[in-house]
Amino acid sequence: MSDCLFCRIIAGEIPSKKVYEDELCFAFYDIDPQAPTHFLVIPKAHISSVSAIDAENSAVVGHIFEVIAKLTRELGMESYRVVSNIGEQAGQSVFHLHFHVLGGRDMTWPPG
Ligand code: AMP
Ligand code: ZN
């Protein structure tokens, strides 16, 4: 989608600090980090949020979690949080599915 910020990052039209890329997904550091380590993992296919996951496109989600396990291992992150905001009330500001991976500080529960 040409008007989607994250599709444009995947296409290289907007610069990002890439962590990882393969044929299905792309990972890059968040521009406004909320923890000492904060990166996003996104599918290359445009999916608007978790609420648009269905039988046709769900395989990429399992793949993304494999990638999160691999990247956090490589980065030495033993404890971390994976978050996906769905809808404006939950704080979603970019409507391309993404998983925040946050680590390197104490986390509170429940989240705000
Ligand atoms: P959310 O608010 O859950 O939709 O998450 C969107 C995230 O994208 C926020 O944490 C933003 O800081 C991040 N973000 C927005 N623009 C960029 C960008 N150009 N590069 C990296 N991260 C970005
Ligand atoms: Zn997109």
Side-chain angles (χ1 to χ4, degrees):
M1 276 179 77
S2 58
D3 61 344
C4 169
L5 174 67
F6 286 176
C7 283
R8 296 187 68 198
I9 285 178
I10 292 163
E13 293 166 16
I14 293 172
S16 69
K17 259 183 85 181
K18 183 164 90 175
V19 180
Y20 174 85
E21 178 176 14
D22 64 25
E23 68 285 1
L24 293 176
C25 72
F26 192 87
F28 57 106
Y29 286 105
D30 197 292
I31 204 167
D32 181 21
Q34 301 302 312
T37 304
H38 182 182
F39 61 87
L40 305 172
V41 189
I42 67 178
K44 285 193 168 172
H46 181 87
I47 299 170
S48 57
S49 78
V50 166
S51 54
I53 294 169
D54 59 23
E56 298 296 308
N57 63 21
S58 63
V60 73
V61 178
H63 178 72
I64 283 174
F65 274 82
E66 272 185 50
V67 167
I68 289 171
K70 171 182 140 65
L71 294 178
T72 50
R73 226 173 11 246
E74 287 173 3
L75 292 167
M77 298 168 70
E78 283 179 11
S79 184
Y80 55 92
R81 188 170 284 178
V82 180
V83 176
S84 193
N85 298 318
I86 297 101
E88 279 171 25
Q89 188 178 26
Q92 186 176 10
S93 60
V94 179
F95 288 78
H96 179 127
L97 178 65
H98 50 283
F99 295 92
H100 296 260
V101 180
L102 303 125
R105 66 165 169 83
D106 294 340
M107 303 278 171
T108 58
W109 192 264

